[in-house]
Amino acid sequence: MTYGGVVFANNLDSTTTTQSTLTKQTQAHRMGPQDDMKAMATDSEQMQTILAALVTDGTLTQTDVDNITAFMVTQETERKAEQAKVALMTETERQAYHNQKATTSTQPKPDRFSEMVTSGIITQEQADSITAKIEAQRLATRQAEQKTQLDTLVANNTITVAQVDQILAYEVTEDAARKAEMDKVKAMTTDERAAYLETSQSTPKDPLAGLVDAGILTQDQADAVTKLMGAGKHGGPLAGPMENDSEQMQTMLAAFVTDGTLTQTNADNITAFMSTQATERKAEQAKVALMTEAERQAYHDQKATTTTQPKLDRFSEMITSGIITQEQADTMTAKIEAQRLATRQAEQKTQLDALVANNTITAAQVDQILAYEVTEDAARKTEMDKVKAMTTDERAAYLETSQGTPKDPLAALVDAGILTQDQADAVTKVMGHGQRK
């Protein structure tokens, strides 16, 4: 029975964040050029392909590429080290850590390209060219994914090929309009911007409303696109993947009702609770998106310094609100965690089977790799429980001495003779691990 992990992912043990070393997840929707650069940092092959293209067209020299690669590898190593350190903090310590960083930061954090320009790795002109090309690639990738989804509605005669073209063209126009609006708002004074955001951004815009209003889609067609692509009413191309996939959420909740974990009343209350939270989150995102970088930093700093209690996870908020009991939360967490592990292992097996097919590794080695991952998953949880039981000073000392460098998940397999280094490198390449040092 599938419970899914998407809707309640933030309630799971924070060790789940470490599993991104084994499962690459790409999100093409609503990403800007800096997001794309961050995504590329975890996929060295993709990054090198893009950088090589920039050398070929004369935007960069090979020396520029080498320096960019070294810069991003260093940043990624530092980011993983900090994540490992923060992951083993208690929620209270984590909140205090982020608050301290916010209050001691006197300048907004520059984006990655700005840091490269400041460091003399690239010029501003090169940064602008790279940004434009990454943005164009982002749009092309997103449109290709959207077309694949929309073509299924053409196949079942819900919409026509011409309507698919109109939807995709509308998205390009809307994308340009959003950028123009952001430029306009950023040119306003602080008071003008605050007034504008207060009056026009309290409710997130509906990305398909214009298509319905223009007669390009009927309401039934818009609803079909919404259902397929996981947006709110009229939803569609601009929504993050499965962020508001009510069908998937309802399937998961129905499974919990069927097995007795929840009552139907619980499920209805959870749906209403999450809908309210999603609406509030989108309204805040829309508001923050149109701030300048300095205003955004000040806004987050103000939130951090005025928050006296750690933010509750979603299950804790539901318990506090009387929507579910602690026992129900614990049961759902355990079942979602089990499903998450099963899903991840299935994805990993698919990737590893490709290496079996080309005789790089054997089927027996695939089983050993997957079994090792289960063992490592349990070990990480045990370590977190141990660290959380330490005093603040003990934990600080432990994190300082043992978490400075992220662990390589394949190192032990090589050391144990289960994989050769060449095999480990091949697994690294297909699954996105950090290289074994």
Side-chain angles (χ1 to χ4, degrees):
M1 186 175 291
T2 299
Y3 296 94
V6 176
V7 177
F8 292 120
N10 64 327
N11 302 299
L12 302 179
D13 196 294
S14 56
T15 52
T16 58
T17 59
T18 64
Q19 288 131 14
S20 60
T21 57
L22 294 176
T23 304
K24 295 184 291 182
Q25 299 181 355
T26 57
Q27 296 182 333
H29 300 284
R30 306 289 283 175
M31 292 177 69
Q34 300 309 321
D35 298 304
D36 286 299
M37 288 300 284
K38 291 175 183 176
M40 286 176 220
T42 61
D43 188 340
S44 59
E45 186 173 358
Q46 180 185 8
M47 181 182 73
Q48 292 304 323
T49 298
I50 292 175
L51 292 177
L54 293 172
V55 172
T56 299
D57 69 14
T59 301
L60 299 174
T61 66
Q62 187 57 51
T63 299
D64 292 328
V65 169
D66 294 340
N67 290 337
I68 289 171
T69 301
F71 176 87
M72 295 181 70
V73 167
T74 299
Q75 281 208 329
E76 183 70 4
T77 300
E78 292 172 352
R79 184 182 64 80
K80 286 185 177 180
E82 182 175 28
Q83 285 180 334
K85 176 180 177 181
V86 172
L88 293 178
M89 296 178 180
T90 64
E91 183 60 36
T92 300
E93 289 173 332
R94 191 176 300 117
Q95 184 73 35
Y97 175 78
H98 290 306
N99 288 351
Q100 191 270 339
K101 284 189 67 177
T103 54
T104 56
S105 297
T106 56
Q107 297 294 327
K109 184 179 178 180
D111 61 48
R112 185 167 288 169
F113 283 156
S114 296
E115 289 183 287
M116 290 184 190
V117 172
T118 301
S119 301
I121 296 173
I122 56 177
T123 65
Q124 184 61 56
E125 183 178 2
Q126 288 173 317
D128 293 341
S129 296
I130 297 170
T131 298
K133 291 178 181 179
I134 290 176
E135 179 67 13
Q137 180 60 43
R138 176 193 63 80
L139 180 59
T141 299
R142 191 177 74 238
Q143 290 240 310
E145 293 175 351
Q146 292 167 358
K147 187 176 187 304
T148 298
Q149 291 178 299
L150 293 170
D151 282 348
T152 64
L153 296 181
V154 175
N156 65 17
N157 297 317
T158 300
I159 60 177
T160 66
V161 172
Q163 286 175 311
V164 170
D165 293 339
Q166 289 174 303
I167 291 170
L168 295 179
Y170 178 78
E171 159 66 357
V172 173
T173 301
E174 283 292 287
D175 198 58
R178 282 192 300 273
K179 291 177 184 175
E181 182 181 27
M182 288 189 69
D183 290 339
K184 179 185 75 173
V185 172
K186 287 178 180 179
M188 295 177 180
T189 66
T190 302
D191 290 341
E192 289 173 338
R193 187 176 301 110
Y196 176 84
L197 294 173
E198 186 67 31
T199 58
S200 65
Q201 296 297 321
S202 58
T203 302
K205 292 182 179 179
D206 176 353
L208 288 186
L211 293 175
V212 175
D213 294 341
I216 294 172
L217 296 178
T218 66
Q219 185 60 58
D220 287 344
Q221 289 173 323
D223 291 342
V225 174
T226 293
K227 183 176 181 180
L228 176 71
M229 303 185 75
K233 188 178 180 184
H234 291 317
L238 305 182
M242 293 189 290
E243 181 183 70
N244 274 323
D245 190 339
S246 60
E247 185 174 0
Q248 178 175 345
M249 182 179 74
Q250 292 305 320
T251 299
M252 182 198 69
L253 293 176
F256 282 132
V257 172
T258 299
D259 69 14
T261 301
L262 300 175
T263 65
Q264 187 57 53
T265 299
N266 292 143
D268 293 342
N269 289 339
I270 288 171
T271 299
F273 175 86
M274 295 182 68
S275 177
T276 299
Q277 282 207 327
T279 299
E280 293 173 350
R281 183 180 69 254
K282 285 186 176 181
E284 181 176 29
Q285 286 175 339
K287 176 180 177 180
V288 172
L290 293 178
M291 294 179 180
T292 64
E293 183 59 36
E295 289 173 332
R296 190 176 300 120
Q297 183 73 34
Y299 175 78
H300 291 305
D301 289 353
Q302 191 271 339
K303 284 188 67 176
T305 55
T306 57
T307 301
T308 57
Q309 296 296 326
K311 183 178 180 180
L312 297 175
D313 63 45
R314 188 167 287 170
F315 278 162
S316 295
E317 288 183 286
M318 290 183 188
I319 294 169
T320 301
S321 301
I323 295 172
I324 57 175
T325 65
Q326 182 65 58
E327 183 178 3
Q328 288 172 318
D330 293 342
T331 301
M332 285 193 286
T333 298
K335 290 179 177 178
I336 291 172
E337 177 68 12
Q339 178 61 32
R340 176 196 59 78
L341 179 60
T343 299
R344 191 178 76 246
Q345 290 241 309
E347 293 172 348
Q348 292 167 359
K349 188 175 187 306
T350 298
Q351 292 174 305
L352 294 170
D353 282 346
L355 296 180
V356 175
N358 65 17
N359 297 317
T360 300
I361 59 176
T362 67
Q365 286 175 311
V366 170
D367 293 338
Q368 289 174 303
I369 292 170
L370 295 178
Y372 177 77
E373 163 64 5
V374 172
T375 302
E376 281 293 286
D377 195 62
R380 284 191 297 268
K381 291 178 184 175
T382 300
E383 181 181 28
M384 287 194 68
D385 289 340
K386 179 184 74 173
V387 172
K388 287 178 179 178
M390 295 177 180
T391 65
T392 301
D393 290 342
E394 289 172 337
R395 186 177 300 109
Y398 176 83
L399 295 173
E400 186 68 29
T401 57
S402 65
Q403 297 296 320
T405 303
K407 294 181 180 179
D408 178 349
L410 291 184
L413 292 176
V414 175
D415 294 340
I418 294 173
L419 296 177
T420 66
Q421 185 59 57
D422 286 345
Q423 288 174 323
D425 291 342
V427 173
T428 294
K429 186 174 181 180
V430 300
M431 301 183 73
H433 295 176
Q435 293 290 344
R436 185 173 188 261
K437 305 298 183 184

